[in-house]
């Protein structure tokens, strides 16, 4: 798996047509398939607060990477500052 860092966008959608928030990230594949480490590229002071609120509401985001179809990703860890752990896959159940 390629461990290079890629720029991506993590979107939280209220529904299929309403994008409530978007977070530019740097994405790096881990050794576990379907798991990514991400860092917020431009964390503003209130970004962590907004992100924490959205995670409490629903941890499923849409991961947008260049030349790749949108992918559902669950944020499985957030350090409260800028570090994220993402797991890709469908929002089932």
């Amino acid at each position: 798996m390629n461990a290079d860092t890629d720029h991506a966008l993590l979107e939280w959608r209220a529904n299929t047509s309403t994008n409530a928030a978007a977070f530019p990230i740097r994405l790096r594949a881990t050794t576990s398939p379907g798991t990514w480490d991400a860092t917020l590229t431009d964390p503003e002071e209130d970004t962590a607060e907004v992100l924490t609120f959205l995670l409490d509401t629903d941890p499923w985001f849409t991961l947008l990477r260049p030349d790749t179809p949108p992918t559902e990703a669950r944020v499985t860890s957030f350090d409260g500052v800028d570090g994220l752990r993402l797991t890709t896959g469908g929002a089932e159940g």
Side-chain angles (χ1 to χ4, degrees):
M1 183 171 278
N2 187 350
D4 292 341
T5 301
D6 293 321
H7 291 278
L9 191 62
L10 196 59
E11 293 184 343
W12 191 91
R13 295 185 166 270
N15 56 46
T16 57
S17 61
T18 305
N19 179 12
F23 303 95
I25 58 173
R26 276 176 275 149
L27 190 63
R28 188 174 57 84
T30 66
T31 56
S32 301
T35 303
W36 303 84
D37 286 330
T39 306
L40 297 171
T41 59
D42 190 20
E44 296 180 9
E45 190 171 314
D46 63 344
T47 300
E49 184 177 314
V50 171
L51 188 52
T52 299
F53 171 78
L54 293 174
L55 288 169
D56 288 344
T57 303
D58 185 358
W60 288 96
F61 289 73
T62 301
L63 178 61
L64 303 170
R65 298 180 298 160
D67 303 321
T68 304
T71 304
E72 293 212 344
R74 184 172 192 269
V75 177
T76 56
S77 177
F78 173 50
D79 70 8
V81 182
D82 66 357
L84 302 153
R85 171 65 56 99
L86 310 175
T87 304
T88 57
E92 299 163 1

